Amino acid sequence: MATKIPKKPPPPVNQPSKSDDGDSVVLERLTEKIKPPHMYQVLLLNDDYTPMEFVVVVIQEFFNKDRETATQIMLKIHLDGKAVCGVYSKDVAATKVDQVLEAAKQSGHPLQCVSEPLE
Ligand code: TYC
């Protein structure tokens, strides 16, 4: 039977560093190290075949917009070729893209949806 060699625990991540003169703790560095997550915008792309009504419903359902806003976004896509429907963390943005593409596929529409990092 193989004997397990105990490993040294990994260094703490984002832990406040302790000074070596007692129990005092430096909290300053902890706040400096925390960065906001990179955000991703999710866009719908125009095409000549997907019905406007389908796009409006998709924007309402997957991007939580009211009908008025969804209609304005759909018209912007129709006129400009694309528009941002929402901004999310990387994972949520990828899920939105998957959900929209799956709904379009199920309905037989060629609607395209992409995500891209902000900045
Ligand atoms: N251009 C489409 C039409 O005229 C409507 C449309 C709008 C399609 C937005 C896709 O993302 C889109 N039926």
Side-chain angles (χ1 to χ4, degrees), residues 41-90:
Q41 54 186 10
V42 178
L43 303 101
L44 285 181
L45 310 183
N46 189 36
D47 65 72
D48 292 338
Y49 305 102
T50 304
M52 290 183 174
E53 175 60 21
F54 181 81
V55 179
V56 171
V57 171
V58 160
I59 296 170
Q60 282 183 268
E61 288 199 357
F62 296 113
F63 300 100
N64 305 312
K65 306 297 186 198
D66 60 38
R67 184 148 182 101
E68 179 81 22
T69 306
T71 303
Q72 284 170 5
I73 295 172
M74 181 280 294
L75 286 173
K76 182 171 169 55
I77 303 164
H78 181 70
L79 295 172
D80 297 352
K82 62 183 177 180
V84 176
C85 295
V87 175
Y88 307 95
S89 65
K90 191 175 189 176

Side-chain angles (χ1 to χ4, degrees), residues 25-41:
V25 170
V26 180
L27 288 173
E28 199 180 333
R29 262 189 228 160
L30 181 62
T31 49
E32 280 173 9
K33 274 187 199 165
I34 297 169
K35 288 192 194 138
H38 285 123
M39 299 301 277
Y40 287 69
Q41 54 186 10

